[in-house]
Amino acid sequence: MSKALVIIDIQNDYFKGGAMELEDPLAASENAKKLLEKFRNDKEAIVHIQHRAASPDAGFFLPDTKGAEIHDNVKPLSGEKVITKHFPNAFRETDLLDHLQSENITELVFVGMMTHMCIDASVRAAKDLGFKCTVIADACATRTLEINNKQVKAADVQNAFIAALDYFYAEIKNTAELL
C-alpha cells in the first residue's frame, strides 16, 4: 500500500495576526512539521494543498498576500507536489485525484486546517473515492463557531468533527502514534 501525507491549508492567515485566526494553530503546525519530516526521511509521498480565495469577498487567502502563503513550519521543498484549490474539498476542480492515482497512492494521512471545513470535506471525499484515510487530530486546528447566537468552543468543534470522521471516514491518531 502506497501512502501520502496530505497537508491542507497550513497557511499564514490562520496564525496570530492573520485574517482568520484559529485556536492554537502553531501547535498543530509543529506536529504537522514532525510528520512532514518523517515522510521526507522515509521518502514517502507528500502533497501540499494551498487554498487561494476565488473572490476578494472571502477576506482571507487572497492571492499574492503573505496570508495566503504556506506557513514556514511546513514549507514545500522543491519537487514536492503543491496543489492550489478554491473550495473546501481538496479534490474539487483540482488534479489531486489524478496525481494520487498516477503515484499509485491508496492511503492518505491528513493534517491541516480547518478541521470543521477543509479537513472534513477532503477526508470524506477521499474515503468516497476509495482511499484509506487517517487523520492526525493533534496536527489539525479549527476555531470557535457560532450557531443560533450560541458559541461552540474550538475544542468542542474539533472533538465533534474528529469524532464524526472516526465513525466511518478515517482512523484517528495523534502525532506520537504515527511517529
Side-chain angles (χ1 to χ4, degrees), residues 66-117:
K66 178 82 174 158
E69 292 175 13
I70 294 174
H71 192 271
D72 285 342
N73 278 350
V74 293
K75 275 269 194 252
L77 296 178
S78 178
E80 290 178 349
K81 181 72 171 171
V82 179
I83 293 175
T84 301
K85 69 177 179 65
H86 302 289
F87 299 96
N89 174 355
F91 291 91
R92 182 176 171 187
E93 298 179 28
T94 70
D95 68 342
L96 178 57
L97 180 59
D98 291 339
H99 172 72
L100 295 171
Q101 289 174 333
S102 75
E103 298 291 320
N104 297 312
I105 304 293
T106 57
E107 182 179 349
L108 303 176
V109 177
F110 289 92
V111 299
M113 301 172 181
M114 293 190 278
T115 308
H116 74 276
M117 187 61 68

Side-chain angles (χ1 to χ4, degrees), residues 48-68:
H48 300 266
I49 307 293
Q50 183 176 22
H51 197 107
R52 294 277 183 186
S55 161
D57 297 339
F60 64 107
F61 293 160
L62 301 176
D64 305 316
T65 63
K66 178 82 174 158

